[in-house]
Amino acid sequence: MYDCIIVGAGPAGGTAAYHLSKLGRSVLILEKEALPRYKPCGGGVSPFIAQWFDFDFSPAISVKADTIRCTWKMGDAIEVSLETSEPVWLVRRNVFDHFIVQQAQKQGAELRDNTEVIGIEFKSDHWQVNTKNGFFQGRYIIAADGASGRMAKWLGFKDRLRRLAGALEAEAPAKVDRTNVIDLEFGIVRNGYAWNFPKADGYSIGVGTFMGGKAQNLKKIIDEYGKSFNLNLSTCQQYAYALCLWNGEQTLHTTNAVLAGEAACVVDPMTAEGIRPSIFSGLKASVAIDEALGGNINALENYSNTINTEWGADMAWAAKVAGLFYRFPSIGYKVGVKRPSGPQIMGKILTGQLRYSDVAGRAIQRLTSFNS
Ligand SMILES: Cc1cc2nc3c(=O)[nH]c(=O)nc-3n(C[C@H](O)[C@H](O)[C@H](O)COP(=O)(O)OP(=O)(O)OC[C@H]3O[C@@H](n4cnc5c(N)ncnc54)[C@H](O)[C@@H]3O)c2cc1C
């Protein structure tokens, strides 16, 4: 009998496992893939996360970016050196996610990869977690099985405020000249953006669309975007994947279980940043489960409240800005991006030096006054 079974070994699950093990709890991580596993992702990580760990992330960081270059329809560029306290980290997700899990293992967490969870049953005071390789028992569960996971459904969460978005990513091996520059393109995809994030040995190029609307040929768009960097993406493997954007306050706990990471729909609806909030929720989930194991009957409810107030409240502002920006993107680009302060603010939000609540009022005013 484990104190906690964590389903999913992404940033949310790995973080929860690290902190719960460190608190002396017995933890089992179940992961359906063999680690290290690939995850479609740009791999842009906020350095803000460093404060939540007591180990050094250097071995898991591919390169660091201190410059953002934005374009509109692959022209009209603006390039800005970020005045942030730390550059943005660019990681390979197979390396980064596995690194966190390895730190958790050093603290005593057990990992069973290649072990897909296929169902769960509550047995009066604990969970039985059924996998393709037999069943396991845990007093508590953290469901950290990502955007396509089924744990939330099995745990009985219904009518969820889930806003699904879609993205397509290609990994292009290449010699990278400027490993410190992040590229963002706003004019070739509706309701989203395209990105080119450097790594030490190539690029992660992708397109994401976050607000629904008419179907778009993301494959055609990504191929065109790749050509602007002299990359032939049609010969690279391309991966389509869902994103679960924050879509309002939610209950994230149930009997002896919580949802964390993208299973809890924590992704920023403006930028699609998901790693930092997944790690944040994994951290808070570990604290809640530790307190619940210690007898605090309000611990899991407090977890839902914490995520709603400490992350969700700011995401409500992000959603308002996104609603206006992506509805009128050419204006958004002109008044929000094509000024040196625009990418500077983006950088500061990503690195945690600013919150949307600090800047949304002014951004909304600018966007609406230009539209009216
Ligand atoms: C194309 C794309 C680009 C992105 N770029 C960025 C970016 O640059 N920066 C950023 O911050 N965010 C980005 N994101 C979002 C980010 O990738 C996610 O928000 C983040 O991975 C969520 O972490 P997680 O731990 O919740 O879930 P995941 O990382 O998805 O991990 C969930 C794990 O659960 C496992 N699992 C699922 N079902 C089961 C099961 N039944 N049994 C056992 N294991 C199971 C999966 O195999 C997986 O390993 C991007 C997303 C996409 C799709």
Side-chain angles (χ1 to χ4, degrees), residues 7-13 30-33 37 39-45 93 97 115-118 144-147 149 154 167-169 195 197 241-243 260-263 267 272-276 278:
V7 181
L30 297 173
E31 165 58 52
K32 71 176 176 186
E33 307 285 341
R37 62 95 177 89
K39 160 78 177 73
C41 185
V45 178
R93 287 292 302 276
D97 293 12
T115 304
E116 180 175 358
V117 173
I118 51 173
D145 53 342
W154 292 335
L168 182 67
E169 196 241 356
W195 71 85
F197 289 178
Y241 210 80
L243 286 143
E262 251 190 272
V267 175
E273 182 194 3
I275 297 170
R276 173 171 46 145
S278 293

Side-chain angles (χ1 to χ4, degrees), residues 39-183:
K39 160 78 177 73
C41 185
V45 178
S46 170
F48 195 75
I49 65 149
Q51 67 184 300
W52 297 325
F53 297 90
D54 54 4
F55 55 83
D56 174 23
F57 271 91
S58 304
I61 301 170
S62 178
V63 293
K64 293 184 180 181
D66 59 8
T67 302
I68 296 187
R69 183 174 168 273
C70 300
T71 51
W72 175 259
K73 294 193 191 297
M74 296 185 269
D76 197 14
I78 176 166
E79 184 170 310
V80 172
S81 295
L82 295 177
E83 291 156 6
T84 53
S85 49
E86 268 288 311
V88 176
W89 301 351
L90 281 319
V91 306
R92 290 269 185 221
R93 287 292 302 276
N94 52 346
V95 176
F96 180 80
D97 293 12
H98 194 207
F99 180 74
I100 301 177
V101 170
Q102 286 170 322
Q103 306 310 308
Q105 287 176 286
K106 282 186 198 160
Q107 297 295 334
E110 266 180 59
L111 166 71
R112 286 190 185 243
D113 58 353
N114 257 324
T115 304
E116 180 175 358
V117 173
I118 51 173
I120 52 173
E121 296 166 48
F122 193 64
K123 305 274 186 187
S124 73
D125 66 347
H126 69 274
W127 286 99
Q128 176 175 309
V129 179
N130 301 320
T131 78
K132 288 194 168 161
N133 309 331
F135 69 84
F136 301 91
Q137 292 175 310
R139 292 185 180 86
Y140 287 83
I141 283 182
I142 297 177
D145 53 342
S148 349
R150 301 176 66 199
M151 285 294 293
K153 191 167 166 243
W154 292 335
L155 284 166
F157 288 90
K158 291 195 186 109
D159 306 325
R160 305 188 60 217
L161 288 167
R162 231 163 94 96
R163 172 130 59 93
L164 279 177
L168 182 67
E169 196 241 356
E171 300 267 328
K175 185 179 167 303
V176 180
D177 293 329
R178 299 208 300 161
T179 54
N180 65 322
V181 183
I182 283 175
D183 264 279

Side-chain angles (χ1 to χ4, degrees), residues 231-243:
L231 296 169
N232 181 1
L233 298 187
S234 57
T235 57
C236 302
Q237 182 87 40
Q238 299 184 1
Y239 303 86
Y241 210 80
L243 286 143

